[in-house]
Amino acid sequence: MNLAPPSQYDFLPRFYRLAIVNVLSNIMVPLSGLSSVAFLGHLTEIHSLAGVALGSIL
């Protein structure tokens, strides 16, 4: 059993891997709302567009 504390060099690759996933996730949320608004903007009724716009803000 290895009881030595992990070194700093073991921690950084795992941290960067998690940070990259978190950044990509935070970028995808507004892009999803933007694509929904772009598709629903072509509809004649404004109610669905307003609902998606409010939902993407929340």
Side-chain angles (χ1 to χ4, degrees):
M1 187 166 13
N2 188 3
L3 296 177
S7 68
Q8 180 183 10
Y9 299 110
D10 293 336
F11 172 73
L12 286 178
R14 291 187 306 157
F15 175 77
Y16 287 136
R17 232 181 330 181
L18 289 173
I20 288 171
V21 170
N22 192 8
V23 167
L24 289 176
S25 172
N26 287 333
I27 289 172
M28 293 306 282
V29 170
L31 288 178
S32 171
L34 182 66
S35 65
S36 297
V37 168
F39 284 119
L40 291 174
H42 296 291
L43 296 177
T44 57
E45 296 178 358
I46 195 95
H47 301 299
S48 56
L49 179 61
V52 168
L54 287 174
S56 65
I57 291 172
L58 297 176

